[in-house]
Amino acid sequence: MEENPIDPELELNKILDDDTFQHVNNPIVGIKPIIKKYLGIPNHADQLGNKFFFTDGEAKVEIVVVTPEIIRVRLAPHGVFLDEFSYAVPKLEQKVTAFTLLENEKEYRVSTNSINCHIRKEDFFISFSDSKDHVTSMDAVPMHWEENVSFGGYYVFCTKTCAPEESFFGLGDKATELNLRGKRFVNWNTDAYSFQWNQDPIYRTIPFYISVNEGIAHGIFFDNTFKSHFDFGAEKKDQTSFWADGGELQYYYIHGPHMMDVVKNYHIITGTHPMPPLWAFGYHQCRWSYYPEAKVRAIANTFRKEQIPCDGIYLDIDYMDGYRCFTWNKKYFPDPKKMISELAADGFKTVVIIDPGIRVDDNYWVFKEGKENRHFCRRSDDYFMEGHVWPGRCQFPDFTNPDVRTWWGGLFKGLVEMGVAGVWNDMNEPAVFGTGTFPDDVRHQYDGHRGSHRKAHNIYGMQMVRATYEGLRTIMKNKRPFTITRAGYSGVQRYSSVWTGDNVATWEHLKLGNIQLQRLSISGIPFCGTDIGGFSGEPDGELFTRWIQMGTFSPFMRAHSAGDTKEREPWSFGEPYTSINRKFIELRYRLIPYLYSTFWEHHRYGFPILRPVVMQEQEQHNNHFRQDEFTYGDKILICPVLEQGQKSRIVYLPAGKWYNFWTLELIDGGKELDVLTPLDTIPIFVKAGSVIPEYPVMQYVGEKEIEEVKLNVYFSDYLANSFFFEDYGETFAYEQDIYSEKKFAVNGTKTSFTIQQSMEGLYTPRYEIYNFNVTGLPFTPSKIIADGKTITDFSVNADKVLEFKYSKNFKKIVLTK
């Protein structure tokens, strides 16, 4: 039978009637508009070790179990993930073996012993719960994305529910209240001279926040280096969102349940700060600029004449020849090596500034080397990235290239040989006069994962100070470098300290600095400080002194000021300010063993150094809004005086028993109290049960051989532990266990008090004696037994403090009525 013949005209009409027909000369007809696209319905799951993959048929989500408390989430809109790479998380190590994947009709569930990640089948919502199935984080809409036509890739979005009393903390150095609820932020490192309250963005990008709701804390770390945005219930009160202008939607859910646990777990993946040199805990003096050499020497001599301790003195850009990095102005500093050597003989460490901009000058050796080796950034059409900063027309190294970092690190050899002890990296947002920063089309090597400046901007400063730190560490052999950077990204703590940037000499900025340091500390940046006295503007004596008092309990303590302001050294305002400033700087030096031990707890265990009240008592919602008080470590509570002419102020003490540092009065916590604040004091309280080590006052760290260490012991009627860390203070021997970590355990009753000591590590301090000062005994001791031996030489002073001395190697001391 013959088949029906095909009628070509009928077939053509069918095609023309088809709605999907596109004429070959008009191919864009019918292309769908660019809109946000959302995850569909998950229909398949795969497992590869500790990685789980879920797909809706096109997009794919990866769930990685990192530790029992940390799970990473990644989204690939078309099923293909970007290469595994992060500057914040150098190596994602699997630290968990017990995890499961369960499936039922409603969800997939990835579980560890501590947390669960739920992938809802109905709509691809992702949520997290604890081991009791209490939901702590839940999507409000599925993860979504939008194509970026101009640059390629996607805008990526994640939106989660926000509970009525949920609070948010962290995000680095944001210039606002401690609790971020109801606010919106942008992360794009910015040179923010004289920034104001609520100005955003400023210098750093730390895309990590902590949520506290119903007394349970968790963290979200959005590891994306593009310009990112966070909304904590600002647009919609019941939603919190984070999104970025490119890159991958990749975040870590970090469980608590305590804020402290969240920060410790964050440090597991991003690292902790290496131990700084001991001298870095001293007082630092800086100005833009101390020059010529005679001025530097005069400042140093006045510190010693006034008997005000100081360890660091800084040289700003005027020490250079025409602001060319790695050079010296021989008119101002004819023999820098001799000057630095003589400063060192008087106990001063010299810190110099180095910026990223390298002057375009073929007679300048640094530029010549960089040019010959193609170390400078280029734009999309292969022109060099050029911009004007302090030296004039400059080019800029690509610090995302490991070869460039190695070259840059080697440039410090001459400075180190001259005796320079530390390096200060500035202008590395990166800042460019006129345009603000680099254009978006600047290209970066990005450790082999190439990208534009949109991708590299927020990590440029971090990679600069990384190159500086690694170079110094190589050149200085086993000696610890000291570095400080203005810009940074999560993980910068592995390489550098930070300061809050170009602040202003106002009481508002004193308050803001107090909040910023607490925020940086709980955001994973432990070694932080402000420009004491304000960088711009003119403080009076009262403001400067109140700032010195707060700075005494900042992890990093440095005064700094702009060149168009009056000088502001601790003696600049005359009496009574000079004496009060001396008193507090001396207190800083007395407490260095405690400050140093607290830093060890950060380095080894991931504890934050400054801890806001909410971190002590997160279950009390009122504490979510306290931002004046904080503890340094867990033993000393400080409440700076933040108002002009303030004669007293309200201080909240967390639950427990506390001693007034000045009067030794024992006070029950869990309440507010009104504390007198004459100019020469600020409220300081010590937790009962603390053992606070104290060194003798020195004019600089290492000035004197320590013959004995004072142990300030505060009675408690419950078991309390304290730590005391010591090592050589300037080498990396602690990495080979050459340190001394002493644990003190105290406990008392109405008639007895016991002090026990245990030790680990291979370091032996040269002193032999502890000088015990025991405060708060509820009885008059008649007998002291130390390791089975009776101590007869003891006394009780006018403040009712028991004093006696005994061997540093004791194991158990018992005081009885």
Side-chain angles (χ1 to χ4, degrees):
M1 183 177 177
E2 186 177 349
E3 295 182 3
N4 292 329
I6 296 174
D7 186 334
E9 186 174 347
L10 287 173
E11 290 301 311
L12 178 61
N13 287 334
K14 286 180 182 179
I15 294 172
L16 292 173
D17 288 340
D18 192 334
D19 289 339
T20 64
F21 173 74
Q22 297 179 14
H23 195 283
V24 292
N25 290 330
N26 190 16
I28 65 168
V29 173
I31 290 181
K32 296 178 181 180
I34 293 174
I35 58 173
K36 287 183 181 179
K37 293 186 177 180
Y38 295 76
L39 284 170
I41 297 173
N43 54 39
H44 186 71
D46 287 315
Q47 180 179 354
L48 183 62
N50 65 325
K51 297 180 179 180
F52 301 85
F53 299 93
F54 306 88
T55 182
D56 61 4
E58 181 178 8
K60 188 178 285 187
V61 171
E62 177 195 62
I63 304 294
V64 180
V65 180
V66 182
T67 77
E69 292 81 25
I70 303 174
I71 286 179
R72 189 183 73 181
V73 178
R74 277 208 298 172
L75 166 67
H78 294 292
V80 180
F81 293 98
L82 299 179
D83 291 343
E84 184 86 38
F85 179 76
S86 169
Y87 283 120
V89 183
K91 188 176 182 182
L92 191 64
E93 296 179 319
Q94 178 184 341
K95 297 178 183 288
V96 61
T97 55
F99 48 84
T100 58
L101 171 64
L102 299 175
E103 179 183 359
N104 59 38
E105 61 181 16
K106 291 185 177 181
E107 67 175 15
Y108 300 98
R109 178 188 289 207
V110 176
S111 299
T112 72
N113 292 332
S114 302
I115 56 174
N116 308 292
C117 176
H118 309 262
I119 298 91
R120 199 160 75 187
K121 288 185 174 180
E122 178 187 347
D123 46 21
F124 227 133
F125 276 34
I126 294 175
S127 60
F128 295 88
S129 65
D130 62 19
S131 58
K132 299 177 182 177
D133 291 329
H134 179 86
V135 175
T136 52
S137 172
M138 183 170 68
D139 284 352
V141 296
M143 292 189 291
H144 45 293
W145 62 94
E146 181 180 319
E147 186 178 346
N148 187 326
V149 177
S150 299
F151 295 100
Y154 306 93
Y155 300 97
V156 291
F157 305 85
C158 185
T159 301
K160 296 186 173 293
T161 59
C162 182
E165 292 196 345
E166 190 170 2
S167 296
F168 302 94
F169 305 92
L171 229 61
D173 60 352
K174 298 303 183 184
T176 191
E177 286 82 9
L178 189 66
N179 191 333
L180 304 175
R181 178 64 187 256
K183 297 178 180 292
R184 176 181 270 200
F185 302 97
V186 176
N187 283 330
W188 186 251
N189 295 355
T190 300
D191 178 5
Y193 177 78
S194 295
F195 62 92
Q196 299 300 313
W197 194 280
N198 286 326
Q199 182 173 330
D200 187 63
I202 53 175
Y203 299 100
R204 272 161 289 273
T205 292
I206 311 295
F208 163 60
Y209 71 82
I210 303 170
S211 157
V212 181
N213 184 44
E214 298 179 327
I216 299 174
H218 75 269
I220 297 290
F221 172 38
F222 180 32
D223 189 9
N224 183 305
T225 64
F226 286 76
K227 181 182 286 186
S228 58
H229 312 256
F230 287 79
D231 183 307
F232 299 104
E235 182 176 341
K236 294 183 178 179
K237 291 184 178 180
D238 61 348
Q239 292 183 359
T240 181
S241 302
F242 50 92
W243 66 100
D245 292 2
E248 210 164 42
L249 180 48
Q250 171 182 250
Y251 71 89
Y252 293 82
Y253 172 86
I254 305 173
H255 193 66
H258 300 289
M259 291 179 69
M260 183 77 74
D261 300 321
V262 175
V263 176
K264 287 168 61 180
N265 287 326
Y266 171 79
H267 281 299
I268 286 175
I269 56 175
T270 65
T272 60
H273 199 298
M275 291 300 290
L278 190 59
W279 67 263
F281 291 87
Y283 176 77
H284 299 229
Q285 186 66 46
C286 184
R287 181 169 172 80
W288 174 33
S289 290
Y290 288 133
Y291 72 98
E293 177 182 321
K295 181 63 176 179
V296 178
R297 290 181 182 274
I299 293 295
N301 290 339
T302 307
F303 270 103
R304 299 299 178 244
K305 175 187 172 186
E306 293 286 343
Q307 291 286 286
I308 297 174
C310 181
D311 266 88
I313 195 160
Y314 285 59
L315 302 181
D316 209 320
I317 55 176
D318 295 285
Y319 80 88
M320 304 175 191
D321 177 13
Y323 304 135
R324 294 170 179 83
C325 292
F326 305 101
T327 68
W328 289 87
N329 184 318
K330 289 305 178 74
K331 177 183 176 183
Y332 296 151
F333 298 94
D335 192 345
K337 185 171 185 178
K338 179 182 178 185
M339 178 194 73
I340 292 170
S341 174
E342 290 175 356
L343 287 171
D346 206 10
F348 291 97
K349 303 296 191 296
T350 301
V351 181
V352 299
I353 194 170
I354 292 288
D355 292 344
I358 301 301
R359 183 182 173 93
V360 176
D361 177 357
D362 286 322
N363 295 317
Y364 169 32
W365 67 277
V366 178
F367 176 76
K368 192 175 179 181
E369 282 187 19
K371 180 180 178 181
E372 289 173 354
N373 293 285
R374 300 178 66 85
H375 288 329
F376 296 122
C377 293
R378 292 174 179 262
R379 302 190 65 174
S380 59
D381 292 329
D382 217 33
Y383 294 105
F384 283 107
M385 161 58 210
E386 292 192 349
H388 282 75
V389 282
W390 298 114
R393 188 161 65 98
C394 289
Q395 294 181 15
F396 300 81
D398 180 8
F399 296 110
T400 71
N401 185 328
D403 292 336
V404 176
R405 291 198 298 269
T406 300
W407 167 71
W408 180 264
L411 296 176
F412 291 93
K413 187 172 187 292
L415 291 174
V416 172
E417 288 175 347
M418 284 190 175
V420 167
V423 175
W424 164 25
N425 285 161
D426 198 11
M427 299 287 288
N428 57 353
E429 290 72 30
V432 178
F433 294 161
T435 59
T437 191
F438 295 0
D440 284 341
D441 73 334
V442 171
R443 298 175 300 168
H444 294 273
Q445 202 262 4
Y446 215 88
D447 280 73
H449 304 269
R450 295 170 298 176
S452 73
H453 195 65
R454 297 172 63 245
K455 178 179 177 180
H457 175 87
N458 283 332
I459 53 83
Y460 186 86
M462 172 190 182
Q463 294 309 297
M464 179 189 181
V465 80
R466 172 187 181 181
T468 300
Y469 177 84
E470 291 176 345
L472 290 173
R473 180 158 183 176
T474 299
I475 295 165
M476 298 170 75
K477 307 297 183 187
N478 194 35
K479 210 169 184 181
R480 300 176 202 171
F482 170 73
T483 49
I484 179 171
T485 180
R486 193 165 75 179
Y489 182 77
S490 290
V492 71
Q493 70 272 8
R494 300 194 302 273
Y495 311 112
S496 183
S497 62
V498 307
W499 88 105
T500 58
D502 295 340
N503 59 1
V504 185
T506 64
W507 289 92
E508 180 180 66
H509 262 267
L510 179 63
K511 297 174 192 173
L512 186 55
N514 183 34
I515 297 168
Q516 286 182 294
L517 297 188
Q518 294 178 61
R519 174 174 291 125
L520 282 164
S521 187
I522 65 174
S523 300
I525 310 294
F527 205 15
C528 53
T530 65
D531 283 348
I532 291 173
F535 179 71
S536 63
E538 300 289 352
D540 61 12
E542 181 188 2
L543 176 58
F544 186 83
T545 290
R546 290 304 193 190
W547 218 314
I548 283 282
Q549 291 169 343
M550 185 179 84
T552 298
F553 295 96
S554 300
F556 172 60
M557 186 183 189
R558 182 185 76 161
H560 184 35
S561 56
D564 59 354
T565 65
K566 296 177 184 176
E567 293 189 4
R568 57 192 69 160
E569 290 79 39
W571 57 82
S572 297
F573 302 94
E575 293 296 349
Y577 307 107
T578 300
S579 294
I580 299 171
N581 296 337
R582 180 188 298 110
K583 168 185 171 179
F584 273 86
I585 295 172
E586 287 180 347
L587 175 60
R588 169 90 175 188
Y589 279 72
R590 287 163 51 197
L591 291 176
I592 276 180
Y594 174 77
L595 310 183
Y596 194 58
S597 299
T598 301
F599 210 101
W600 171 251
E601 290 186 43
H602 160 77
H603 170 74
R604 185 172 186 182
Y605 305 108
F607 293 132
I609 290 177
L610 304 186
R611 306 172 189 179
V613 168
V614 65
M615 187 168 268
Q616 325 285 328
E617 296 177 338
Q618 67 189 43
E619 68 283 354
Q620 295 187 24
H621 194 252
N622 286 346
N623 288 338
H624 295 197
F625 304 94
R626 298 188 189 276
Q627 54 191 23
D628 290 357
E629 305 93 335
F630 62 90
T631 62
Y632 197 116
D634 66 338
K635 306 299 182 191
I636 301 178
L637 182 139
I638 301 96
C639 189
V641 177
L642 305 171
E643 301 286 347
Q644 187 172 16
Q646 196 167 21
K647 303 301 182 186
S648 68
R649 68 154 303 154
I650 299 297
V651 179
Y652 175 78
L653 292 181
K657 295 184 177 180
W658 299 83
Y659 290 88
N660 184 312
F661 177 81
W662 306 107
T663 68
L664 305 183
E665 176 189 3
L666 181 62
I667 301 165
D668 287 325
K671 63 185 179 184
E672 293 181 341
L673 57 151
D674 195 1
V675 181
L676 295 176
T677 56
L679 185 62
D680 64 343
T681 67
I682 59 171
I684 304 173
F685 295 86
V686 181
K687 186 182 291 185
S690 298
V691 178
I692 308 293
E694 182 181 318
Y695 283 168
V697 172
M698 301 187 192
Q699 293 308 298
Y700 57 90
V701 169
E703 180 194 19
K704 305 171 186 174
E705 184 75 32
I706 296 173
E707 296 179 355
E708 62 181 34
V709 170
K710 186 176 180 181
L711 290 186
N712 297 292
V713 184
Y714 295 84
F715 175 87
S716 68
D717 57 4
Y718 50 82
L719 179 64
N721 296 317
S722 300
F723 289 91
F724 179 22
F725 175 83
E726 291 180 294
D727 69 353
Y728 286 111
E730 60 179 13
T731 73
F732 287 94
Y734 68 87
E735 295 180 342
Q736 282 75 49
D737 296 336
I738 302 176
Y739 62 80
S740 168
E741 181 183 290
K742 301 171 182 177
K743 176 184 174 183
F744 301 110
V746 305
N747 200 353
T749 69
K750 292 180 180 180
T751 58
S752 69
F753 185 55
T754 302
I755 309 169
Q756 293 179 282
Q757 177 182 232
S758 57
M759 294 173 275
E760 72 168 68
L762 304 174
Y763 174 74
T764 302
R766 295 177 68 174
Y767 64 86
E768 295 295 335
I769 299 296
Y770 285 147
N771 180 359
F772 290 85
N773 280 239
V774 184
T775 294
L777 289 174
F779 58 89
T780 301
S782 62
K783 184 183 293 186
I784 302 177
I785 304 295
D787 298 331
K789 299 177 182 177
T790 300
I791 296 176
T792 57
D793 187 8
F794 63 89
S795 62
V796 177
N797 66 22
D799 293 323
K800 299 182 180 179
V801 175
L802 172 68
E803 299 179 359
F804 65 94
K805 297 181 181 182
Y806 196 66
S807 167
K808 68 180 182 186
N809 297 317
F810 84 93
K811 293 183 177 179
K812 184 176 182 180
I813 298 175
V814 180
L815 318 177
T816 55
K817 185 175 180 178

